[in-house]
Amino acid sequence: MKVTDLVVAASIVALALLLSYAMFLGGIGPVPVRSELRTLALNYILLTYNPAKIIYSALAPEGVTAIVWDYRGLDTYFETAVMFLAIISVVALTHGCKVRIGLGKGGMSLIVKTTTRILMPLIVLAGVSITMHGWLTPGGGFQGGATIAVATVLALVTYSIDTLAKHGIRKKILLAMRSTGLIGIALTAVALLIIGLAVGVNAYIFQNQERMGSPLAFPAYFSGTPTGGSLLFYNLFEAFAVSAGLSLAIIVTSLREEEVKETLRGEGVE
Amino acid sequence: MSELIIPYLLTVVFVSFVINLVIALYGIFARPTLVKKIIALTIFSDSLNSLAIFVGYRVVSGRVPAPPVVVNYTSPQGPAQLAKVTVDPLPQALVLTAIVIGLAVTLFMVKVTMQVHRIYGTTSVRKLERIEHGNKGEEDEGVVE
């Protein structure tokens, strides 16, 4: 260990202690012990499911999904685009690498494989359930999609990348699924706008229920149960995009050394 | 008694988040290996996410705070009843997207690190810098930064 390391470590400990002491004395504002909701949060809670004030409401009982896909929908759209870009970059880094069948050693033992075979449908089912209740209980497209991607990771570790490719979980298919999800989100965002243009009434981007000056709305109930209008579609497409995108990124990250090095040599890099 | 204990415990949680952030910053700046930088960065983002959730926390006397879900949505008083016991939904909504994007960006960084290791045979930024300058690394120790 060098002197510089020691100095850095000591200064960081000193900074942490100083900050903690300052906080303990109330030096950088009071520690947030709240017993009341903020006004903004109160508005969200009171309006998220409120048929009496429908022009401010998302008609979804779950506040978080209503904020994510209705009140701050444009934010979430661009955040999804950031995820899209990150995954595109991961894929671009291994451009040209092909999965060669027959390299794998066949995966883990029979016990692990059997357990995985039982578990995988249950994980996918849990993901779909989380997605499809996103506007009623905590959950939604992001969480459901990430849960479904866990099934791919499990299969990848237990079996091999060969087995996944044999069963049709390939780069191109996953890319297509992910793009379908994103196009679905974009279409849902402008659906009412297109209908509004066709019918000749006002409409907004990311409109869910009736808004001021626009009578158009997504259907808010399905056989008596609230669907959150557009939140249903956003959650479905988001789960599609997230599960396919994360699976794709993980598959591309776990390409074998032989395959990647071959491509690197082919492009003239040492 | 509880009105003394609850602020104390919350202060402990808050301070430990800050300490966690500082340690993660140390890992990002001072550790030379890219892998450790990535680990420290995930610790940093997770601490920040937990801090955001903590900012949305709220003490409800006599019970545990409820999640922001209108369970009793058929009655007109449902949202107003919920507002008495629920936590702030906005930080949760922001953290939700941050986690998924964080996962994708972490995968990207891992992939870049793997490529760096394949091409240069090391992930230490100090050694990489020396390779960059054409020095074969005769002075392994002592030459830092």
Side-chain angles (χ1 to χ4, degrees), chain A residues 12 34 61 63 79 94 257, chain B residues 26 55 59 68 70 97 111 118:
Chain A
I12 278 180
R34 295 183 149 262
E79 284 172 23
T94 50
E257 284 296 300
Chain B
Y26 164 75
V55 167
V59 178
V70 189
T97 41
K111 188 72 204 169
R118 273 182 199 123

Side-chain angles (χ1 to χ4, degrees), chain B residues 30-47:
Chain B
R31 294 280 93 199
T33 322
L34 285 174
V35 178
K36 286 184 181 168
K37 279 184 197 292
I38 293 173
I39 294 173
L41 199 65
T42 51
I43 293 174
F44 186 76
S45 66
D46 287 346
S47 310

Side-chain angles (χ1 to χ4, degrees), chain A:
Chain A
M1 181 170 273
K2 289 188 285 286
V3 184
T4 5
D5 283 354
L6 275 178
V7 171
V8 169
S11 56
I12 278 180
V13 169
L15 177 62
L17 285 177
L18 263 177
L19 273 178
S20 326
Y21 191 58
M23 237 176 289
F24 179 69
L25 296 179
I28 43 178
V31 172
V33 184
R34 295 183 149 262
S35 53
E36 293 298 317
L37 273 184
R38 293 172 184 80
T39 323
L40 183 64
L42 192 65
N43 281 336
Y44 280 135
I45 292 291
L46 290 181
L47 292 174
T48 178
Y49 187 87
N50 198 337
K53 289 183 185 168
I54 203 160
I55 58 165
Y56 301 114
S57 176
L59 285 191
E62 219 263 293
V64 177
T65 310
I67 292 173
V68 165
W69 282 117
D70 190 347
Y71 296 116
R72 308 185 65 91
L74 215 53
D75 275 13
T76 314
Y77 185 74
F78 285 110
E79 284 172 23
T80 312
V82 171
M83 195 194 78
F84 181 88
L85 273 179
I87 289 167
I88 282 287
S89 325
V90 173
V91 175
L93 273 175
T94 50
H95 180 70
C97 295
K98 289 199 174 63
V99 177
R100 284 193 294 164
I101 308 289
L103 272 180
K105 304 268 191 312
M108 290 185 164
S109 74
L110 185 66
I111 301 171
V112 186
K113 277 183 179 171
T114 314
T115 320
T116 308
R117 213 175 299 142
I118 297 168
L119 272 179
M120 264 178 62
L122 297 180
I123 293 175
V124 174
L125 203 66
V128 172
S129 156
I130 290 170
T131 307
M132 296 299 291
H133 286 96
W135 51 93
L136 292 174
T137 55
F142 278 114
Q143 298 94 318
T147 312
I148 295 170
V150 169
T152 321
V153 180
L154 200 61
L156 188 70
V157 173
T158 318
Y159 294 91
S160 64
I161 204 164
D162 287 356
T163 323
L164 284 184
K166 267 182 217 158
H167 284 81
I169 305 179
R170 293 202 194 91
K171 236 159 100 173
K172 275 181 189 162
I173 293 169
L174 288 175
L175 263 176
M177 272 176 70
R178 200 177 106 286
S179 307
T180 315
L182 275 168
I183 292 169
I185 291 172
L187 281 182
T188 316
V190 295
L192 287 189
L193 198 64
I194 293 170
I195 295 174
L197 282 176
V199 181
V201 291
N202 276 335
Y204 306 101
I205 286 184
F206 271 94
Q207 186 181 347
N208 180 4
Q209 296 304 315
E210 286 174 36
R211 292 290 179 255
M212 223 169 270
S214 168
L216 294 173
F218 276 92
Y221 296 93
F222 181 75
S223 68
T225 314
T227 61
S230 59
L231 303 188
L232 168 84
F233 301 101
Y234 287 132
N235 273 337
L236 270 181
F237 289 126
E238 181 69 26
F240 225 65
V242 168
S243 62
L246 289 183
S247 307
L248 176 68
I250 286 161
I251 285 177
V252 164
T253 311
S254 53
L255 280 174
R256 282 173 297 233
E257 284 296 300
E258 294 93 331
E259 292 153 353
V260 181
K261 277 193 171 153
E262 204 169 73
T263 319
L264 282 179
R265 274 197 297 273
E267 288 171 3
V269 184
E270 255 186 23

